[in-house]
Amino acid sequence: MQKPDMTVEVAGIKMRNPVMTASGTFGYGAEFADYLNLESIGAMITKGLSLKPKAGNPTPRIVETPGGMLNAIGLQNVGVDAFIAQKLPYLAKVDTPVIVNVYGNTLEEYGEVAARLDGLGGVAGIEVNISCPNVKQGGIVFGTDPQAAAEVVRLVRKSTSKPLIVKLSPNVTDVVSMARACADAGADALSLINTLTGMAIDLDRRRPILANVTGGLSGPAIKPVALRMVWQVAKSVQLPIIGIGGIMNGRDALEFMLAGASAVEVGTASFLDPSAAQTIAREMEQYLIDNGIASVASLIGALEV
Amino acid sequence: MQKPDMTVEVAGIKMRNPVMTASGTFGYGAEFADYLNLESIGAMITKGLSLKPKAGNPTPRIVETPGGMLNAIGLQNVGVDAFIAQKLPYLAKVDTPVIVNVYGNTLEEYGEVAARLDGLGGVAGIEVNISCPNVKQGGIVFGTDPQAAAEVVRLVRKSTSKPLIVKLSPNVTDVVSMARACADAGADALSLINTLTGMAIDLDRRRPILANVTGGLSGPAIKPVALRMVWQVAKSVQLPIIGIGGIMNGRDALEFMLAGASAVEVGTASFLDPSAAQTIAREMEQYLIDNGIASVASLIGALEV
Amino acid sequence: MQFKSMVVSNVELSPGYFRMRMTAPLDLLGALPGQFLMLKVSDAIDPLLRRPFGFFDVGTFSAEYAGGGTQCYCEILYKVVGKGTRKLAALHHGDLLDLLAPLGKGFDPGPGCEEKLLVGGGVGLAPLYYLAKVLVARGDKVRLFAGGRNRDDILCITEFERLGVESYVSTDDGTLGESGLVTQVLERHLRASGMRIFACGPTPMLKAVAVMAKKHAVPCQVSMEAYMACGVGACLGCVMKGANHSEETPDYRCVCKDGPVFDSFELQWS
Amino acid sequence: MQFKSMVVSNVELSPGYFRMRMTAPLDLLGALPGQFLMLKVSDAIDPLLRRPFGFFDVGTFSAEYAGGGTQCYCEILYKVVGKGTRKLAALHHGDLLDLLAPLGKGFDPGPGCEEKLLVGGGVGLAPLYYLAKVLVARGDKVRLFAGGRNRDDILCITEFERLGVESYVSTDDGTLGESGLVTQVLERHLRASGMRIFACGPTPMLKAVAVMAKKHAVPCQVSMEAYMACGVGACLGCVMKGANHSEETPDYRCVCKDGPVFDSFELQWS
Ligand SMILES: Cc1cc2nc3c(=O)[nH]c(=O)nc-3n(C[C@H](O)[C@H](O)[C@H](O)COP(=O)(O)OP(=O)(O)OC[C@H]3O[C@@H](n4cnc5c(N)ncnc54)[C@H](O)[C@@H]3O)c2cc1C
Ligand SMILES: Cc1cc2nc3c(=O)[nH]c(=O)nc-3n(C[C@H](O)[C@H](O)[C@H](O)COP(=O)(O)OP(=O)(O)OC[C@H]3O[C@@H](n4cnc5c(N)ncnc54)[C@H](O)[C@@H]3O)c2cc1C
Ligand SMILES: Cc1cc2nc3c(=O)[nH]c(=O)nc-3n(C[C@H](O)[C@H](O)[C@H](O)COP(=O)(O)O)c2cc1C
Ligand SMILES: Cc1cc2nc3c(=O)[nH]c(=O)nc-3n(C[C@H](O)[C@H](O)[C@H](O)COP(=O)(O)O)c2cc1C
Ligand code: FES
Ligand code: FES
């Protein structure tokens, strides 16, 4: 049989396959170059970027939990200028779309970061993180209130002509209304889910394990919640969806596509296996070959309910 | 050293230790009598009861997920009258408080079920389930809207003089405001969390695994989310809290108590080990002995943040 | 009962099919054919839930490692299909497991004068072997009808024949025994009275057998499978529709507690 | 590198302490003392994350099972503290592991004319052994200061002595060697020049050593531990504060990538 067509297009970004690397789990790309072929994956999303460099939270910042992990990095990052000067040149040479995940402490900052990235070669799109649970200043409001989210999206939309992906939080009563608000405000695509807010306790020391007390839960444990939310949003909103949450292998990724995702992001899996993104893309292709499926795009939303 | 004091009191219900069995995971008690001593645990909570018998959902109703399981039983139960006639007499003979978990398809039904149980010997208290994600008719609204929840609680409060525990859903943006609404409406205690809504997909058949499409996620996977919510609510609301979610052993249970729970419910663990509730109580006691702690109640909310 | 059990042996019979012997307390000798056990494959959280298996055999042996003392054992015959059975297949003599057993309702053997027709395929043959052993010991006349897609689905026929059970094998592709469906072979043997059918296997096969049993008015018991969490009738995860089930008058039966063996007339087969 | 490795041996040295040898590709011979590896204890999700361990040794041996060919190995010395190390302790010859190695920055041995003072305790001695081996092979003068609460924390001293390393042992309770803190013993040997300290062990010990090194102006490298997820500098989970860190001018270093070995003057010890 012929090789299946693995290409997908999300918000105008053409990818050789649907496997992207999730923000915050793939550094700035270079960290993984020894372990996989960066030109074998669909797209790279970089660590959340803010206007100014950000120190992030005190340590401990991570802890393992049953089937998952909590992190409270607190968006430590080099800031948009250092990113452009130090990280982007390397990434721009890699023949794989680079999507920059951005974050603002204030509404205005979202607009400014997006504006700085606008028109830059080597930036294929922007993923707006309105959902980081680990920073105090308003992050929660943008991610959990449809109006506030829409405001962020409208402003970023005005500030950039790049494809605009909005990343949604799972810590909400109604993810569909969040998705609708972002769609109406001008998002080109939606990615979900970010981490679930959780906590871990050191019984003997009677203290939270994370210095930040709470953190974001990721990994296989959250996959059922992520699949459900992707399915709910895909049913209700007419935008391409990027599925995220506990994807460990090709089968997981394809399940998200059946649920309605046009592409997926691989996060925690890259910690367990730095070549995970490439392996997952290969497993997806193999599944298509084994089952005589000509194109991966044909599976998008193909779930029979 | 002397045996530690394991007793706790929640909403006026005195328990020999803080370990209760979670609704829907312990049947009507008798199912487990061969595997543990029913008089060794703190309290038993029975399967969610509605006014009329309820068929529940079609099958498959359960599926394993990474570190957890999804269920969509759909509240199959014998109905309040059959419960009183067939199940309660057995339970009443066991020297352990029996708490009846109740559910209504409508606001009125909540009141009626509670009223039928009022004044019945052998019923130590009522746990109101406003949070079942697996039934269509309005269940979601009661569990996710503070006003609707308060209405249910007020009505049930009027219908019964029994201790009244309200069980909260984790599928909300702001669990604290739900908790406050229930507290203000007259709840004597709060229990949390119920299951997180999730989904599982059979890739090869391209269908959801559960007949109900979505189901409730329970088990170790959800423990970090549960701990976080218990901690948040305990900080903000002046009611005793019962912690639930992924408790597998004595250490897990004690972590919930540090976070602010006065007692815990053990759910999925009883499927893995039908004697889990008893074992967990024993492990808690052993921890107290090993660490020279005189009373388990002294650990409630003892987390240093 | 809940007990810790030691793996005595775990042998691959044919590709992907394993037979495992585990130690058990003497009380387990009271287990009925058709009842089942649930075992915890891992003490970690993956896989999380117990896995259910029918008894392939229960008995005693002289345990050399226990100084020749008499030791009760139970055996299962299992097929590797997912992560739990994959982990099982990696167990060795001496490994420990946590077991719940015996669970559920077993086969009702019926009066001795009847002819017993056992119908199964694949791992469905597992509980039928233990049933055959018990029936033969009682002196009943037992015939086995084993069916499957191909020869790989036909297991342990020699074990049945060693008991003196007459076996009729059929496969869809004719790679072993007669070519065709097991129900066709079964039908040739059916008479209206003095017979009783015991079936275990894939649901479509059970349905075909149930329909045929009804047509010929032969009493028939089927052993069902369902996803299970608790195994003791508490979670209501494993239910099946009873014959008279409807949305208005629900009639669900727990496979773990009311079954896994049901009178085929009790169930809804649509 | 990422590679599959086979467990060659896994031996309990003293209660709760294990030494494990694993096969490795020949390239690993380039690994520096102080660098580390991360291994996946289970291919299931429990435990989920890789576990980091320093190199206790790296070398070649003649692998009998490989027909006497030369095989590269690496060794770790580990203490059983949680579920990952408990699973490790159950591994046998022939079991397979997935490894990332070598990771991070190792010790800078410095000029040969200096005297090398190695300070450690418990499993902190593990990377120091590999360091000692390399230093001794260069012809450097090496002394070991091993400290701990009691004799159980003092491991592999004979291995060090077999290399010709002079060892000074101290324990808090005096059950082995001198009674007292390792830093007291160390201080007696410190001179302002021609010396270099290499320390690995619990953070309080490292802090005490760092403070003393500063006081005596002796160059000092410390090997740090931190919870890690990725091991490659991507997750920013494992950071420590650099000497000039403040809320306004953040200066975090990744233990996995900028370390685990740091110049002690680079770090904030408050
Ligand atoms: C009463 C009873 C008796 C059984 N007897 C046998 C036997 O003798 N030999 C044998 O090989 N198999 C038997 N089975 C089926 C056996 O339980 C499954 O094959 C096994 O649970 C699969 O586990 P897994 O982890 O390998 O597969 P996975 O697919 O990874 O399992 C995922 C989940 O689905 C459940 N599951 C998957 N397949 C089945 C199934 N067919 N029935 C019930 N649950 C399933 C598992 O228990 C688990 O919870 C029996 C099932 C039941 C209910
Ligand atoms: C660079 C480096 C080198 C190390 N070298 C050695 C060595 O040579 N020998 C040795 O015995 N130990 C060493 N450790 C510590 C070792 O990694 C932990 O003891 C081990 O990860 C504990 O795993 P567990 O599952 O048994 O414990 P658990 O407590 O169950 O682990 C839970 C989580 O916490 C992490 N964790 C727990 N303790 C530590 C720790 N002390 N440091 C870092 N993470 C921890 C685990 O990796 C895991 O993610 C080293 C750590 C680092 C960072
Ligand atoms: C250590 C870590 C750091 C993360 N940092 C970011 C971030 O900067 N911006 C963001 O949008 N998401 C961030 N995330 C969330 C991931 O991109 C992803 O949404 C989440 O981990 C769920 O996917 P997974 O289960 O595959 O890991 C981070 C996750 C982890 C584990
Ligand atoms: C099979 C099953 C049935 C349940 N039925 C009910 C129910 O009837 N009423 C209710 O309030 N909660 C019900 N629950 C939720 C549990 O009581 C508990 O809140 C949840 O499972 C989380 O705890 P765990 O992780 O310890 O299982 C059910 C859970 C399971 C797994
Ligand atoms: S498996 Fe729980 S009721 Fe049958
Ligand atoms: S462990 Fe991920 S940055 Fe160090």
Side-chain angles (χ1 to χ4, degrees):
Chain A
M1 167 179 168
Q2 251 192 306
K3 282 227 159 195
D5 179 1
M6 292 298 289
T7 61
V8 293
E9 186 175 326
V10 176
I13 305 168
K14 290 192 170 61
M15 300 190 279
R16 61 172 68 83
N17 62 52
V19 182
M20 313 162 77
T21 57
S23 178
T25 65
F26 206 67
Y28 299 103
E31 293 86 344
F32 288 82
D34 286 349
Y35 299 99
L36 51 64
N37 175 2
L38 294 176
E39 299 187 347
S40 73
I41 59 182
M44 290 182 281
I45 306 189
T46 54
K47 173 73 192 162
L49 212 58
S50 51
L51 192 59
K52 298 267 148 57
K54 222 170 133 56
N57 290 325
T59 56
R61 291 178 170 185
I62 50 175
V63 56
E64 192 177 80
T65 67
M69 64 176 281
L70 290 167
N71 87 80
I73 307 301
L75 286 168
Q76 176 181 342
N77 77 92
V78 297
V80 67
D81 293 334
F83 171 78
I84 293 170
Q86 295 157 23
K87 309 290 182 182
L88 193 56
Y90 173 87
L91 286 168
K93 274 182 282 179
V94 180
D95 179 25
T96 293
V98 174
I99 294 165
V100 181
N101 181 282
V102 301
Y103 170 77
N105 288 304
T106 62
L107 183 61
E108 293 68 37
E109 264 187 52
Y110 274 106
E112 280 187 62
V113 186
R116 299 264 179 120
L117 295 165
D118 193 34
L120 275 185
V123 176
I126 288 177
E127 181 180 57
V128 184
N129 178 6
I130 55 167
S131 47
C132 184
N134 296 327
V135 284
K136 297 271 144 67
Q137 315 93 321
I140 291 298
V141 176
F142 296 130
T144 57
D145 175 60
Q147 257 100 51
E151 255 189 285
V152 172
V153 176
R154 264 194 301 271
L155 181 63
V156 174
R157 178 72 296 171
K158 266 189 256 164
S159 316
T160 183
S161 55
K162 302 267 186 204
L164 173 53
I165 302 163
V166 180
K167 184 164 178 181
L168 301 179
S169 169
N171 301 297
V172 296
T173 307
D174 181 5
V175 70
V176 171
S177 70
M178 290 299 300
R180 283 218 187 88
C182 296
D184 294 345
D188 297 315
L190 301 171
S191 57
L192 63 161
I193 59 176
N194 209 315
T195 52
L196 281 161
T197 307
M199 180 170 173
I201 288 175
D202 183 330
L203 175 60
D204 299 320
R205 295 175 56 241
R206 299 194 189 178
R207 299 178 65 90
I209 295 183
L210 298 176
N212 189 54
V213 183
T214 61
L217 182 63
S218 64
I222 70 170
K223 190 186 128 192
V225 176
L227 263 182
R228 183 261 296 183
M229 290 193 166
V230 165
W231 176 72
Q232 285 182 318
V233 171
K235 271 195 314 179
S236 326
V237 177
Q238 294 295 3
L239 282 186
I241 311 282
I242 303 168
I244 324 169
I247 295 173
M248 293 285 129
N249 54 49
R251 294 184 69 91
D252 290 341
L254 291 167
E255 288 170 24
F256 274 86
M257 295 192 70
L258 289 182
S262 298
V264 297
E265 294 179 25
V266 169
T268 303
S270 292
F271 301 156
L272 316 189
D273 177 0
S275 62
Q278 180 170 359
T279 306
I280 289 171
R282 202 181 283 142
E283 288 171 351
M284 293 171 81
E285 184 174 22
Q286 191 60 47
Y287 182 87
L288 266 63
I289 294 172
D290 293 346
N291 291 275
I293 300 166
S295 112
V296 75
S298 70
L299 294 178
I300 300 168
L303 190 74
E304 294 158 28
V305 179
Chain B
M1 168 178 168
Q2 251 193 306
K3 283 227 159 196
D5 178 2
M6 293 296 291
T7 61
V8 292
E9 185 175 326
V10 176
I13 304 168
K14 290 191 170 64
M15 300 191 278
R16 61 172 67 84
N17 63 50
V19 182
M20 315 163 76
T21 57
S23 177
T25 65
F26 206 68
Y28 299 103
E31 294 86 345
F32 287 82
D34 288 348
Y35 299 100
L36 50 66
N37 175 2
L38 294 175
E39 299 186 349
S40 72
I41 59 181
M44 290 183 281
I45 307 188
T46 54
K47 174 72 192 163
L49 212 57
S50 51
L51 193 60
K52 299 266 147 59
K54 222 170 132 58
N57 290 324
T59 56
R61 291 176 170 188
I62 51 174
V63 57
E64 193 178 77
T65 67
M69 64 176 281
L70 290 168
N71 88 81
I73 307 300
L75 286 168
Q76 175 181 341
N77 77 92
V78 297
V80 67
D81 293 334
F83 171 79
I84 294 170
Q86 296 158 23
K87 309 290 183 183
L88 193 55
Y90 173 86
L91 287 168
K93 274 182 285 177
V94 180
D95 178 26
T96 293
V98 173
I99 295 165
V100 181
N101 181 283
V102 301
Y103 171 79
N105 288 304
T106 62
L107 183 62
E108 294 67 37
E109 265 187 51
Y110 273 105
E112 281 188 61
V113 187
R116 300 264 179 119
L117 295 165
D118 194 31
L120 275 186
V123 175
I126 288 178
E127 181 180 57
V128 184
N129 178 6
I130 55 165
S131 48
C132 184
N134 297 327
V135 286
K136 296 273 147 61
Q137 314 92 321
I140 290 298
V141 176
F142 296 129
T144 58
D145 176 59
Q147 257 100 53
E151 257 190 285
V152 172
V153 176
R154 266 194 300 272
L155 182 63
V156 174
R157 178 71 296 171
K158 266 188 259 166
S159 317
T160 183
S161 55
K162 301 268 186 204
L164 173 52
I165 302 162
V166 181
K167 183 163 177 182
L168 302 178
S169 167
N171 301 296
V172 296
T173 306
D174 182 5
V175 71
V176 171
S177 69
M178 292 297 301
R180 284 218 185 88
C182 296
D184 294 345
D188 297 315
L190 301 171
S191 59
L192 64 160
I193 60 175
N194 209 315
T195 52
L196 281 161
T197 307
M199 180 172 174
I201 289 176
D202 182 330
L203 176 61
D204 299 321
R205 295 176 55 240
R206 298 194 189 180
R207 300 180 65 90
I209 295 182
L210 297 176
N212 189 53
V213 182
T214 61
L217 183 63
S218 65
I222 69 169
K223 190 186 127 193
V225 175
L227 263 183
R228 183 261 296 183
M229 290 191 166
V230 165
W231 177 71
Q232 284 182 320
V233 170
K235 271 196 312 177
S236 326
V237 178
Q238 294 295 5
L239 283 185
I241 310 283
I242 303 168
I244 325 169
I247 295 173
M248 294 284 129
N249 54 50
R251 294 184 68 91
D252 290 341
L254 291 168
E255 288 170 23
F256 274 87
M257 296 192 70
L258 288 183
S262 298
V264 298
E265 294 178 24
V266 168
T268 303
S270 292
F271 301 156
L272 316 190
D273 177 359
S275 62
Q278 181 170 358
T279 306
I280 289 170
R282 202 180 285 142
E283 289 172 349
M284 292 170 80
E285 185 174 21
Q286 191 59 50
Y287 183 87
L288 266 62
I289 295 172
D290 292 346
N291 291 275
I293 301 165
S295 113
V296 75
S298 70
L299 294 178
I300 300 168
L303 191 73
E304 293 157 30
V305 178
Chain C
M1 285 184 289
Q2 181 175 14
F3 56 90
K4 292 267 180 261
S5 166
M6 192 188 84
V7 175
V8 177
S9 59
N10 190 19
V11 182
E12 188 158 13
L13 296 181
S14 67
Y17 288 97
F18 285 74
R19 177 176 175 173
M20 182 163 78
R21 176 176 288 201
M22 295 157 280
T23 59
L26 276 173
D27 290 0
L28 200 69
L29 289 173
L32 302 174
Q35 287 188 303
F36 67 104
L37 56 81
M38 282 189 94
L39 54 79
K40 188 88 184 82
V41 182
S42 134
D43 52 3
I45 60 164
D46 186 32
L48 187 73
L49 297 174
R50 285 174 185 268
R51 301 297 195 247
F53 298 94
F55 291 113
F56 176 67
D57 197 4
V58 178
T60 58
F61 70 115
S62 152
E64 285 165 43
Y65 58 82
T70 295
Q71 170 69 53
C72 180
Y73 68 82
C74 59
E75 290 190 5
I76 61 174
L77 178 74
Y78 64 94
K79 182 177 180 179
V80 175
V81 298
K83 69 176 164 187
T85 45
R86 250 195 315 274
K87 283 216 165 191
L88 269 190
L91 295 182
H92 299 289
H93 173 88
D95 288 334
L96 296 180
L97 289 167
D98 188 274
L99 258 68
L100 300 182
L103 298 171
K105 299 214 162 59
F107 291 106
D108 169 9
C113 55
E114 290 170 342
E115 198 175 312
K116 315 297 182 187
L117 310 181
L118 279 44
V119 189
V123 291
L125 292 171
L128 297 180
Y129 175 74
Y130 182 37
L131 176 65
K133 197 176 138 183
V134 169
L135 291 173
V136 165
R138 297 196 336 167
D140 292 14
K141 167 89 189 137
V142 182
R143 286 181 210 269
L144 173 72
F145 299 85
R149 263 162 314 164
N150 56 53
R151 60 183 308 150
D152 293 341
D153 292 333
I154 311 297
L155 299 163
C156 297
I157 294 300
T158 33
E159 268 81 358
F160 281 94
E161 290 179 341
R162 215 175 287 149
L163 290 175
V165 170
E166 213 167 306
S167 298
Y168 305 83
V169 172
S170 56
T171 51
D172 295 0
D173 65 356
T175 45
L176 198 71
E178 218 176 301
S179 157
L181 293 174
V182 68
T183 39
Q184 292 165 358
V185 188
L186 173 67
E187 191 158 29
R188 290 204 299 269
H189 286 82
L190 285 185
R191 289 187 317 270
S193 69
M195 292 196 144
R196 184 179 291 251
I197 299 174
F198 305 84
C200 185
T203 305
M205 172 197 274
L206 296 182
K207 186 176 168 178
V209 172
V211 167
M212 182 165 300
K214 187 157 193 180
K215 182 170 133 196
H216 294 271
V218 179
C220 173
Q221 294 165 55
V222 291
S223 178
M224 306 300 297
E225 290 187 1
Y227 285 16
M228 293 183 174
C230 70
V232 300
C235 73
L236 306 179
C238 67
V239 299
M240 307 208 62
K241 291 174 184 161
N244 299 319
H245 176 91
S246 72
E247 259 313 292
E248 300 71 43
T249 59
D251 173 20
Y252 275 122
R253 317 285 176 90
C254 281
V255 172
C256 71
K257 184 124 191 171
D258 306 320
V261 176
F262 294 94
D263 191 319
S264 69
F265 307 141
E266 271 181 78
L267 298 179
Q268 197 173 99
W269 290 101
S270 53
Chain D
M1 286 183 286
Q2 180 174 16
F3 56 91
K4 292 266 180 264
S5 167
M6 192 188 87
V7 175
V8 178
S9 60
N10 191 18
V11 183
E12 188 158 14
L13 295 182
S14 67
Y17 288 97
F18 286 73
R19 177 176 174 173
M20 184 163 77
R21 176 176 287 201
M22 296 158 279
T23 59
L26 276 175
D27 289 0
L28 200 68
L29 289 175
L32 302 174
Q35 287 189 303
F36 67 104
L37 55 81
M38 282 190 92
L39 53 79
K40 188 88 183 81
V41 182
S42 134
D43 51 3
I45 60 164
D46 187 31
L48 186 72
L49 298 174
R50 287 175 183 266
R51 301 297 193 247
F53 298 94
F55 292 113
F56 176 67
D57 197 5
V58 178
T60 57
F61 69 115
S62 152
E64 285 165 44
Y65 57 81
T70 295
Q71 169 70 54
C72 180
Y73 68 82
C74 59
E75 290 190 4
I76 61 174
L77 177 75
Y78 63 95
K79 181 177 180 179
V80 174
V81 297
K83 69 177 164 185
T85 44
R86 251 194 315 276
K87 283 216 166 191
L88 269 191
L91 295 182
H92 299 289
H93 174 89
D95 288 335
L96 295 181
L97 289 167
D98 188 274
L99 259 67
L100 300 182
L103 298 172
K105 296 213 164 59
F107 291 105
D108 170 8
C113 54
E114 292 169 341
E115 198 176 310
K116 315 297 182 188
L117 309 181
L118 279 44
V119 188
V123 290
L125 292 171
L128 297 181
Y129 175 75
Y130 182 37
L131 175 64
K133 197 177 139 184
V134 168
L135 292 173
V136 166
R138 296 197 336 169
D140 292 14
K141 167 90 188 135
V142 182
R143 286 182 210 268
L144 173 72
F145 300 84
R149 264 162 314 165
N150 56 53
R151 60 184 308 150
D152 292 343
D153 291 332
I154 312 297
L155 299 163
C156 296
I157 294 298
T158 33
E159 270 80 358
F160 281 93
E161 290 178 340
R162 215 174 287 149
L163 290 175
V165 171
E166 215 167 302
S167 298
Y168 305 83
V169 173
S170 56
T171 52
D172 295 0
D173 65 356
T175 46
L176 200 70
E178 220 177 299
S179 156
L181 293 175
V182 68
T183 37
Q184 293 164 355
V185 189
L186 173 67
E187 191 160 28
R188 290 204 299 269
H189 286 81
L190 284 186
R191 289 187 317 271
S193 68
M195 294 197 142
R196 183 178 291 252
I197 299 174
F198 304 84
C200 186
T203 305
M205 171 196 275
L206 296 183
K207 186 176 168 181
V209 172
V211 167
M212 182 163 304
K214 188 158 193 182
K215 182 170 135 197
H216 294 270
V218 179
C220 173
Q221 295 167 53
V222 291
S223 179
M224 306 301 298
E225 289 188 0
Y227 285 15
M228 294 184 173
C230 71
V232 301
C235 73
L236 305 179
C238 67
V239 299
M240 308 208 62
K241 290 173 184 161
N244 300 317
H245 176 90
S246 73
E247 260 310 295
E248 300 72 43
T249 58
D251 172 20
Y252 275 122
R253 317 284 175 91
C254 282
V255 172
C256 71
K257 184 124 189 170
D258 306 319
V261 176
F262 294 93
D263 190 319
S264 69
F265 308 141
E266 270 181 81
L267 297 179
Q268 197 170 100
W269 289 101
S270 54

